[in-house]
Amino acid sequence: METATAKNTIWPDVELIRNEFPILQQTVNGNPLVYLDNGATTQKPVQVIRAMQEYYTGYNSNVHRGVHTLSQKATSAYEAARHQVAAYIGAHHHEVVFTKGTTDAINLVAAGFRRAFLHEGDEVIISGMEHHSNIVPWQLACEEKKAHLKVIPVTDQGELDMDTFAAMLNPRVKIVSVAWVSNTLGTINPVKDIIAMAHAKGIPVLLDAAQAAAHTPIKVHELDVDFLALSAHKVYGPTGIGILYGKESWLQQLPPYQGGGDMIKHVTFEKTTYAEPPLKFEAGTPAICEAIGFGAAVAYVTQLGIHKIQAYEHQLTEYAVAQLKTIPELRLIGESRHRAGAISFLIGQHHPSDVGVLLDQQGIAVRTGHHCTQPLMDRFECPGTVRASLALYNTTADIDRLVAGVQKAVTLLG
Amino acid sequence: MTIKEQQDNIIADFEVFGDWMEKYEYIIQLGKDLPLIDPTYKTDDNLIRGCQSKVWLHAEMQGDKLVFTADSDAVITKGLVALMIQVLSHQAPKDIANADIYFIDAIGLTSHLSPTRSNGLLSMLKQIKLYAIGYQAKSVQQN
């Protein structure tokens, strides 16, 4: 059997990189931790942890409008983080709204469309592989406005049926909101085509980039996407923060989401005028420390090189898929030609949770269940899947442990 | 056997296992051996929803004892359900309602009872207690 180090030709530094993630240096149930639940959340490098600690120990203070030194320092760091994240996705900083995360960002757009652009009989297009967070906000908006939610079908391979999508585009469609990468199937959707096809009919597009952000270079201006949502905690940053990217023209048109401090220009009891975007959408004291941690996280990824990460993860994903396929009872759910490192599978007739419990006993963290994609599970007629999802610090040795762990689970389950 | 004796028996059974694999092999076997619930009782009303696996639980009085039958779509959950039933079925409602369940902890499976595990086992224990309290109240009324 080849050794893990022999296979890491693209990125021999991965062992050094692992050392930057303190949480990975532990044993779970008596075994060194193999963390393969990165689709749910990624671990944090010391660079991120340190940046957040420095904020609370050195200059914790509320942002904007403060005249004292700490407040100015906090404001500078918070706005610097916005610039860092904007640079990471190829946007202008004023097009980047800090939100609580991807879910919050999608809700912001859905609420804005509900109030300003969606009318009775209109349509909203999503896809059959969406996370609940890109289904329910649109469902709520459509119910209120008596609009219709339309769903792009998913093929047996786990890809979007693009011919049907083309036929679904019509003047009643007010927005198309789809995942860049499926959190359950790992499918990388043809987002350039989706955007071009929608724009040809004058329809804006929102991309849920939660599962793309840590794995794929993002250039929003090149993509010409109208909105893009992502979460920091899936890009090695803290929980509780993410962004909505919006084209400037859209952010100008979209009504405010929540009212409060920071989002106003002037308030009287008769009328309030609002701040310019992005602050128009950032009511209340923001997650300052988390924003700074997010900035540190994208700086970390940028320094390593997102193209290099993508190439490494691609190689690792191919290795993982090939190795998993050697298990006779294993069935992959989602076999797209273009895939990222979220790998869903079932083992014979065994319930995913049984497999998950037995992997946990061996120190291997995977996710089991419906992955917040219940309609997709219905589509593939399964109660859920076992999902292993990769990140930059995973190695072929992790994959070998997973495969051996699954084999042991199969033996035990009989 | 009392509820306490049943629990002590299970704890003694588990003491012989050398490692986690033997323990889980036994639980899986229990899961496979658990007599299936009468399909007519496998209804949504009897379904205890955990996030991951489903558990169906049916209760009925036989004489002065409360009898439980159950099923799960996950075999490890089903094995744990079998243990719970071994301890608590065919007991007086009053004893079930007042029972202190300590065996899960003692055999090192506490994590399966944690609410975050969401496998329905904790909900099942709550439901068993609720049935017992319900039947206890009914028998008090009848007397």
Side-chain angles (χ1 to χ4, degrees), chain A residues 125-185:
Chain A
I125 293 180
I126 60 170
S127 91
M129 62 173 81
E130 297 310 315
H131 189 282
H132 295 163
S133 60
N134 197 27
I135 301 173
V136 185
W138 298 112
Q139 224 163 23
L140 288 168
C142 287
E143 273 170 21
E144 190 180 311
K145 290 295 182 172
K146 295 193 175 116
H148 307 290
L149 191 63
K150 301 285 180 176
V151 183
I152 310 167
V154 176
T155 66
D156 290 342
Q157 284 71 43
E159 296 178 345
L160 294 182
D161 177 345
M162 292 298 284
D163 292 338
T164 305
F165 172 60
M168 289 164 74
L169 295 166
N170 72 71
R172 290 185 303 277
V173 178
K174 286 294 175 294
I175 189 165
V176 173
S177 186
V178 291
W180 187 331
V181 174
S182 159
N183 70 312
T184 302
L185 306 174

Side-chain angles (χ1 to χ4, degrees), chain B residues 24-40:
Chain B
Y24 275 91
E25 248 168 349
Y26 180 67
I27 294 167
I28 289 162
Q29 200 51 53
L30 284 176
K32 290 179 178 170
D33 292 346
L34 181 72
L36 287 178
I37 194 170
D38 185 329
T40 56

Side-chain angles (χ1 to χ4, degrees), chain A residues 29 31 349-358 360-362 367-370 383 408-409 411-414, chain B residues 20-25 28-29 32 51-54 72-78 108-109 111-112 117 119:
Chain A
N29 292 321
N31 296 288
Q349 295 301 311
H350 300 307
H351 196 284
S353 91
D354 287 330
V355 180
V357 166
L358 297 174
D360 175 55
Q361 284 297 316
Q362 303 171 71
R367 189 143 293 249
T368 62
H370 53 61
K408 192 169 274 184
T411 309
L412 284 168
L413 289 166
Chain B
W20 71 270
M21 281 191 286
E22 289 179 8
K23 201 191 292 185
Y24 275 91
E25 248 168 349
I28 289 162
Q29 200 51 53
K32 290 179 178 170
C51 184
Q52 302 261 325
S53 51
K54 294 175 181 171
S72 173
D73 57 350
V75 74
I76 292 174
T77 307
K78 208 170 154 191
L109 295 172
S111 68
H112 287 282
R117 197 88 198 201
N119 63 5

Side-chain angles (χ1 to χ4, degrees), chain B:
Chain B
M1 253 193 281
T2 65
I3 291 173
K4 185 175 179 312
E5 285 164 349
Q6 290 282 10
Q7 295 194 80
D8 292 342
N9 274 348
I10 291 172
I11 293 167
D13 286 347
F14 271 75
E15 267 165 10
V16 303
F17 299 134
D19 61 13
W20 71 270
M21 281 191 286
E22 289 179 8
K23 201 191 292 185
Y24 275 91
E25 248 168 349
Y26 180 67
I27 294 167
I28 289 162
Q29 200 51 53
L30 284 176
K32 290 179 178 170
D33 292 346
L34 181 72
L36 287 178
I37 194 170
D38 185 329
T40 56
Y41 296 139
K42 232 167 138 174
T43 60
D44 276 356
D45 282 348
N46 282 338
L47 184 61
I48 300 167
R49 280 176 203 279
C51 184
Q52 302 261 325
S53 51
K54 294 175 181 171
V55 174
W56 292 267
L57 178 71
H58 172 70
E60 63 181 35
M61 286 301 285
Q62 289 181 10
D64 58 352
K65 305 283 196 231
L66 189 50
V67 175
F68 295 102
T69 47
D71 197 4
S72 173
D73 57 350
V75 74
I76 292 174
T77 307
K78 208 170 154 191
L80 297 168
V81 164
L83 288 171
M84 202 70 93
I85 284 185
Q86 189 180 326
V87 170
L88 290 165
S89 190
H90 296 88
Q91 301 286 349
K94 178 167 166 284
D95 296 337
I96 299 169
N98 296 330
D100 168 28
I101 299 300
Y102 54 83
F103 79 100
I104 293 277
D105 208 3
I107 62 178
L109 295 172
T110 318
S111 68
H112 287 282
L113 268 186
S114 87
T116 53
R117 197 88 198 201
S118 306
N119 63 5
L121 200 66
L122 186 64
S123 318
M124 180 196 175
L125 182 57
K126 277 184 193 159
Q127 190 59 46
I128 285 178
K129 292 253 181 183
L130 281 176
Y131 274 127
I133 292 164
Y135 278 107
Q136 197 186 351
K138 218 182 259 179
S139 69
V140 170
Q141 276 172 3
Q142 282 162 358
N143 293 338

